[in-house]
Amino acid sequence: MKYDRLNRPQSSLVTKRSRRDVLRDGLIAAGSLAATPWLIGPTGARAQDLATPVAVPGSAGEIGRPETVPIDHLVVIFLENRPFDHLYGLFPGANGLLSPEARIPQTDADGVPYATLPPIVNSWADPPAVDTRFPSDLPNEPFLIEDYVPLGDIDPSPTHRFYQHQLQVNGGRMDRYVVWSDTGGLPLGHVDTEKLPLYPYAREHTLCDNFFTAAWGGSMLNHIWLIAAMTPLWPGAPADQIAQPTFDSGGALIGVQKDGNVTPDGYCVNDVQPFYAPYQANTPVEERMPPQLAPTIGDRLSDAGVSWAWYAGGWDDAVAGNPAATFEFHHQPFSYFSRYGEGMSGREHLQDETRFLSSLTEGTLPAVSFIKPLGLFDEQAGYSAVESSESHAVELIEAVKASPFWEQSAIVVTYDDFGGWYDHVAPPPVDRWGPGGRVPAIVISPWARQAHIDSTPYDHTSILKFIEWRWGLAPLASRDALAWNLLPAFDFGAPTSS
């Protein structure tokens, strides 16, 4: 079976193919990011020369037509704000904190390494205050959070915004996470990987250790990239929303004179309220992003007659005007698009998380399901704990495994953004918007490679690429058209029992 560069079948004829053919065509079909000369840091090293060689899908030496691949249901569980090193830095064999180059000393604004990390601050407190659970003189290196705060407690939330993230990365040097944060030395904290409720799934299935967010910065922008592969426009945004970044003579970002949510040329890159309900009460219309007209993956699926839903924890209560305290309006990306307002044609696809569980027992699971847990269970520092959030994700996974759909399903658990936490791997520069920080992704399926670490260079748009490939949809934009497909995470030779 031959595919063009967008991974579309060129013939309906299925032929036996050698592993060499699979590798050759798979490298093309999976995406052209491998052909991008990524530069990391001042050395100019090509990231693809440093990465682990890509796995080849299909132990039988063939991939086959998308419609013959035994995945009829894709479930994406989209958690919050944790990078790879922070959660899986101690995972055996992965490119984590045990790597020799992983413990990068952090520097101040003048490039001078800190003697010790600055005291950790809870910037969400009113007023911000030093978090006395942590020592005030931690060494300038990654440290284990559980030495001071249990996994079931809530950590402060570091800065995670569009321009600040790029400044933290500092041209690939990865040494400014502290100086461009408002939480002192907190970004260097990480957890004990083996204590994570999701750790057994990462051990048993496929853990991706080279998966990046689609865009720099935080939640809203990366949620929109997950469903639309684009950065939203806000022409004529209010003056107080517009950022004033500063650049050097060569065009490199060197600071932010005035922070804001919209770039000077009208792109919305930080969290704002959606135009359509539900949105934060009393937000005036001029402070809500105008409806976006670009196509979404939901549009593509609907137009092709493929069933899908976005399941959000607390959605029904929020729509009824009684949102939970941790219901995050900017985590609902379809609310920013014109087809998904109240009374619009796409609204029926936006459902409460409880409907996902009922779809499993009632036999109505859509082909594509996105699950956004309520903030209390989404793993965002500041208002949710790692332990309870991942335990909730485990409940969702086990519900799928206990259903009749399991043998034809794949679950992808990943994170919307880096959350302001340190990671030692520089994002591969592709365009102005990203990719952003490296985050964990776990592919869980009877057809996933077992006990496997996948170092293919994915990002959020790789999820779109897989959906488009499996259900024969046109790409939304250039990034998903050229992204790596998730196929290397699978082995379609024979299902496993786990």
Side-chain angles (χ1 to χ4, degrees):
M1 186 69 177
K2 292 185 178 180
Y3 298 86
D4 64 15
R5 286 185 61 80
L6 298 184
N7 209 13
R8 297 173 299 205
Q10 294 178 326
S11 168
S12 60
L13 179 65
V14 179
T15 58
K16 188 71 175 178
R17 304 165 67 235
S18 69
R19 185 168 293 274
R20 179 177 294 179
D21 290 336
V22 172
L23 177 58
R24 180 199 64 213
D25 291 350
L27 289 174
I28 295 173
S32 69
L33 286 184
T36 304
W38 307 335
L39 301 179
I40 295 185
T43 65
R46 290 168 62 101
Q48 65 265 42
D49 293 337
L50 304 177
T52 303
V54 64
V56 182
S59 63
E62 62 179 44
I63 298 175
R65 298 190 304 269
E67 62 269 22
T68 67
V69 168
I71 302 296
D72 295 330
H73 302 276
L74 177 68
V75 177
V76 179
I77 301 175
F78 210 43
L79 300 176
E80 285 282 314
N81 293 36
R82 306 280 176 169
F84 189 89
D85 280 344
H86 176 75
L87 293 179
Y88 291 91
L90 303 182
F91 193 91
N95 183 12
L97 293 172
L98 301 178
S99 303
E101 71 280 6
R103 308 178 80 81
I104 300 171
Q106 297 299 292
T107 65
D108 64 19
D110 296 320
V112 177
Y114 293 101
T116 59
L117 291 175
I120 291 173
V121 174
N122 182 356
S123 62
W124 284 15
D126 187 17
V130 171
D131 191 330
T132 56
R133 296 176 297 178
F134 298 92
S136 60
D137 58 350
L138 286 164
N140 185 0
E141 63 181 5
F143 64 89
L144 191 64
I145 291 176
E146 288 100 309
D147 283 347
Y148 314 107
V149 178
L151 199 62
D153 285 6
I154 295 175
D155 310 313
S157 178
T159 301
H160 46 286
R161 291 174 65 79
F162 180 75
Y163 291 116
Q164 287 84 348
H165 187 188
Q166 296 170 67
L167 292 163
Q168 288 171 318
V169 167
N170 192 24
R173 298 171 184 85
M174 316 304 285
D175 62 357
R176 299 285 174 89
Y177 280 86
V178 171
V179 71
W180 284 103
S181 184
D182 56 3
T183 52
L186 181 65
L188 273 290
H190 66 92
V191 305
D192 185 343
T193 300
E194 293 190 5
K195 293 181 180 178
L196 295 173
L198 286 171
Y199 173 75
Y201 299 92
R203 288 285 295 181
E204 294 168 16
H205 297 270
T206 291
L207 174 67
C208 303
D209 71 349
N210 206 22
F211 189 109
F212 296 84
T213 66
W216 297 107
S219 292
M220 184 208 74
L221 182 57
N222 277 296
H223 279 73
I224 288 176
W225 270 85
L226 174 69
I227 68 161
M230 53 85 77
T231 297
L233 281 164
W234 192 345
D240 63 355
Q241 295 277 4
I242 299 174
Q244 295 178 10
T246 55
F247 302 88
D248 65 17
S249 59
L253 179 70
I254 58 173
V256 183
Q257 181 178 345
K258 171 184 170 291
D259 202 7
N261 299 319
V262 181
T263 65
D265 56 344
Y267 289 92
C268 192
V269 293
N270 286 316
D271 302 343
V272 299
Q273 293 297 299
F275 185 82
Y276 296 114
Y279 51 79
Q280 185 69 47
N282 302 316
T283 305
V285 65
E286 63 270 17
E287 295 292 332
R288 306 199 305 268
M289 187 199 300
Q292 301 297 298
L293 304 178
T296 69
I297 194 63
D299 301 341
R300 289 282 196 267
L301 290 164
S302 294
D303 293 346
V306 180
S307 58
W308 70 278
W310 177 277
Y311 297 104
W315 175 258
D316 284 349
D317 287 341
V319 169
N322 301 302
T326 60
F327 183 86
E328 297 295 335
F329 302 97
H330 64 276
H331 291 174
Q332 315 304 323
F334 287 99
S335 295
Y336 293 87
F337 287 82
S338 60
R339 284 181 65 170
Y340 299 93
E342 294 173 290
M344 302 297 184
S345 60
R347 188 73 167 188
E348 65 181 1
H349 296 281
L350 311 186
Q351 301 181 13
D352 197 90
E353 187 185 285
T354 56
R355 298 278 296 278
F356 172 74
L357 296 173
S358 63
S359 77
L360 294 171
T361 58
E362 295 170 3
T364 58
L365 180 69
V368 177
S369 302
F370 297 95
I371 304 177
K372 187 67 201 183
L374 182 67
L376 184 63
F377 301 114
D378 69 10
E379 215 164 337
Q380 155 92 52
Y383 57 68
S384 65
V386 170
E387 188 172 57
S388 56
S389 297
E390 293 203 5
S391 295
H392 179 73
V394 167
E395 293 172 0
L396 296 171
I397 294 165
E398 289 301 314
V400 177
K401 292 182 69 174
S403 77
F405 299 103
W406 170 239
E407 292 297 326
Q408 293 80 40
S409 295
I411 303 169
V412 177
V413 181
T414 191
Y415 294 76
D416 70 330
D417 70 69
F418 78 121
W421 304 93
Y422 167 80
D423 190 273
H424 81 277
V425 176
V430 172
D431 58 31
R432 172 184 179 182
W433 310 116
R438 188 176 63 139
V439 294
I442 308 171
V443 180
I444 304 164
S445 172
W447 304 96
R449 291 183 176 275
Q450 302 300 292
H452 179 62
I453 297 171
D454 184 355
S455 296
T456 308
Y458 302 122
D459 70 39
H460 290 144
T461 63
S462 296
I463 296 172
L464 295 176
K465 181 63 172 263
F466 180 84
I467 294 170
E468 292 157 359
W469 177 82
R470 171 59 186 85
W471 284 280
L473 311 177
L476 294 163
S478 60
R479 278 278 292 278
D480 56 318
L482 301 177
W484 281 88
N485 199 324
L486 294 175
L487 288 173
F490 294 94
D491 184 341
F492 295 123
T496 66
S497 59
S498 61

